[in-house]
Amino acid sequence: MEQYVIIGNGVATVGCIEGIRSVDKESPITVVSGENHKVYGRPLISYYLQGKTDLERMKYRPDDYYDKNGVNLLLGKTAVSVDTTAAGCVVLDDGTKLPYTKLCVATGSSPFVPPFENLESVKEKYSFMTLDDSLALEKALFPEAKVLIVGAGLIGLKCAEGIADRVASVTVCDLADRVLSSILDTECAALMQRHLEKNGMTFLLGDSVARFESNKAFMKSGAEVDFDVLVLAVGVRANIGLVKDAGGETDRGIIVEDDMSTTLPGIYAAGDCAQGPDLSIGAKRVLAILPNAYMQGHTAGVNMAGGEASLKNAIPMNSIGFFGLHAMTAGSYEGDLYEEKTEDSIKRLFTKDDVLKGYILIGRNERAGIYTSMIREKTPISSVNFDILKKAATTVGFDADARKKKFASQV
Amino acid sequence: MKRVYVNEEWCLGCHLCEFNCAFANSGLSDMVLALKGKPIFPRIHVEEGEKITYAVSCRHCEDPMCVKSCIAGAITKEEDGVVRIDSDKCVGCYTCILVCPYGALAPGETGAMQKCELCLENSCGAPACAAGCPNNAIVYEDRSPKTSLTDDAAGPACF
Ligand SMILES: Cc1cc2nc3c(=O)[nH]c(=O)nc-3n(C[C@H](O)[C@H](O)[C@H](O)COP(=O)(O)OP(=O)(O)OC[C@H]3O[C@@H](n4cnc5c(N)ncnc54)[C@H](O)[C@@H]3O)c2cc1C
Ligand code: SF4
Ligand code: SF4
């Protein structure tokens, strides 16, 4: 009989529970949840503010999920250390010691707030990572409010979209010279920025806050921004402390192999806190996206329970939409470029060494998963009709055998 | 489980399956009322190459990428093996489109994501595309690897 403990209660944890239960239906699982909520779709916190979902529908799993899976859920408890010296136990903030035989660290990431001068003087300031953040921000919003968001990345812009209809104005600033700088190049970012501006957003790019004075931000460029509410969405840092302090190898995230094992015996890590293999660059990287959290968690769970699983084809991939315009990106942007552009769409496919390496699709992205699967499966370009495929994501570009496998047999 | 499979040699490219699908999921009992003069949002699509045509719909994958990737937990695979979308929970992020290797999902009329659910949720009870295909190019049958195969594979470990 194993004794499983999982720290964190996000999507990686759900993957882990389901991975464990696919092999071991009996042994008890204890989940330590810092947040006082059952698992919800973290990305939905902006859709909540937008009115596209509600607290009930945001639930990632039904209420009876934990009971049905034999999980003892400890809500509102924080793990403060992992003791690996003897039999292995997790120490909680209330002093409880939880013995484990297999442990999964799925602690996600935390907002990173750089030291802005005089940030203390700002009363209404919020992060945008958790459901509680979203609920607190909601309370601070009012129709006449001017909102300043620091950070034009995925989280900052999703927040901007979420609150757009509930406030008078939204200004977004970022040190980077473009929006979504981690996934879009200059031209693609410009297209998205135009669209966001059409929908009422104001941008201050290539600029950052020099200091705050209660309801005013003084920018490095000399610009001044008045605001009622400040949202800090500069970036996130993986929560690696527990494993680092216990002597496990960490970098930007907790270093894991493709079976999600850390360098500490019996301890696994998954999700936003983990730094595992990224097929698209052939090195380890934190891939802070929800599908990866689930798949890493599941892989960890299967291995914790004595099964065999490895995640060999993880890649960065994102689908993010604002006011009806969607951007999809995947893989790495290296190699030969195939491009199509219109007024309101861009398609960029990158090929190298006979494989599709990555893509950016803005506007038109029907059936993009066909491209994603080519990247993940390293489908040789020479084995497909790429003249057809590059123009449209369609399965007719695959050869007859591949089509037979896909559509005339079980997959 | 029974799934929808295609015989591309037999497909005529007539697109009847698309209309049967849209009608089956319209909730209406009159095909003309349901479809005439309106854009249709079928969950099956006829792929057209130079010399081939065949219909593509959700494969109800054994290990579905869409289920693992949906940011809302709106897509589930039940014990019966059927992959279903809870359109109430869907927020329209398109992550499922990003990951489905078969291009089997597309937004419906209201913007919520939709895909083939084998007509188990509508009044047909079995896929209307297969039932209505004039040339048997779409069939609804069980092609799961035989249990005996699995047994064989597990065999050597016992010796
Ligand atoms: C606003 C927003 C929008 C997003 N949009 C998308 C999107 O569209 N698509 C996408 O793929 N991804 C998106 N993401 C990223 C996605 O949400 C994450 O990649 C995913 O949720 C990570 O899951 P996880 O289980 O690894 O971590 P988390 O969901 O962060 O869960 C970790 C949990 O561990 C808890 N914890 C941490 N330390 C401890 C401790 N010591 N003791 C107890 N508990 C602890 C935390 O409180 C937290 O609840 C978005 C994120 C945000 C914030
Ligand atoms: S939508 Fe795509 S990934 Fe999901 S079950 Fe259907 S074919 Fe598989
Ligand atoms: S579009 Fe809807 S069903 Fe698809 S991943 Fe997003 S929330 Fe899930």
Side-chain angles (χ1 to χ4, degrees), chain A residues 21-57:
Chain A
R21 287 293 176 243
S22 71
V23 179
D24 176 354
K25 304 245 182 298
E26 300 297 326
S27 309
I29 302 175
T30 302
V31 169
V32 186
S33 174
E35 285 180 75
N36 216 342
H37 298 285
K38 289 183 175 172
V39 63
Y40 58 92
R42 182 165 311 289
L44 302 202
I45 62 174
S46 71
Y47 295 90
Y48 167 78
L49 292 176
Q50 214 177 351
K52 283 196 170 177
T53 188
D54 54 40
L55 296 178
E56 194 53 37
R57 288 180 291 163

Side-chain angles (χ1 to χ4, degrees), chain A residues 191-315:
Chain A
L191 174 63
M192 195 44 104
Q193 186 182 337
R194 276 201 301 280
H195 179 73
L196 288 159
E197 284 168 346
K198 266 187 220 147
N199 284 279
M201 315 277 109
T202 306
F203 289 95
L204 288 170
L205 297 173
D207 201 357
S208 63
V209 180
R211 69 190 161 90
F212 288 102
E213 226 170 273
S214 63
N215 282 1
K216 210 181 190 82
F218 296 86
M219 308 299 294
K220 293 232 163 91
S221 64
E224 294 176 11
V225 187
D226 291 310
F227 61 85
D228 301 296
V229 177
L230 175 69
V231 178
L232 295 163
V234 180
V236 299
R237 293 264 164 97
N239 293 326
I240 61 176
L242 291 171
V243 171
K244 193 176 181 183
D245 294 346
E249 189 185 346
T250 59
D251 179 32
R252 290 186 165 218
I254 300 163
I255 299 293
V256 292
E257 299 304 318
D258 61 17
D259 64 354
M260 299 304 130
S261 59
T262 67
T263 55
L264 298 172
I267 304 186
Y268 294 73
D272 282 13
C273 65
Q275 184 171 338
D278 170 359
L279 173 87
S280 74
I281 55 166
K284 288 179 183 172
R285 180 150 67 152
V286 175
L287 292 171
I289 47 172
L290 187 139
N292 193 56
Y294 185 91
M295 289 188 274
Q296 287 194 333
H298 197 273
T299 305
V302 169
N303 290 313
M304 288 162 72
E308 255 177 59
S310 62
L311 186 58
K312 294 197 191 305
N313 51 7
I315 58 167

Side-chain angles (χ1 to χ4, degrees), chain B residues 66-143:
Chain B
C66 59
V67 173
K68 297 187 277 193
S69 302
C70 171
I71 66 166
I75 314 183
T76 50
K77 187 173 177 76
E78 315 283 325
E79 258 159 39
D80 59 6
V82 180
V83 176
R84 294 181 174 84
I85 302 184
D86 179 346
S87 55
D88 269 354
K89 291 185 82 174
C90 171
V91 292
C93 70
Y94 291 16
T95 304
C96 48
I97 296 182
L98 173 85
V99 300
C100 171
Y102 309 97
L105 305 115
E109 200 166 358
T110 61
M113 202 49 60
Q114 60 176 34
K115 65 168 198 68
C116 164
E117 300 192 1
L118 300 174
C119 285
L120 301 176
E121 309 300 307
N122 62 39
S123 60
C124 296
C129 54
C133 177
N135 213 27
N136 270 328
I138 307 177
V139 294
Y140 181 48
E141 57 190 40
D142 192 343
R143 292 189 187 171

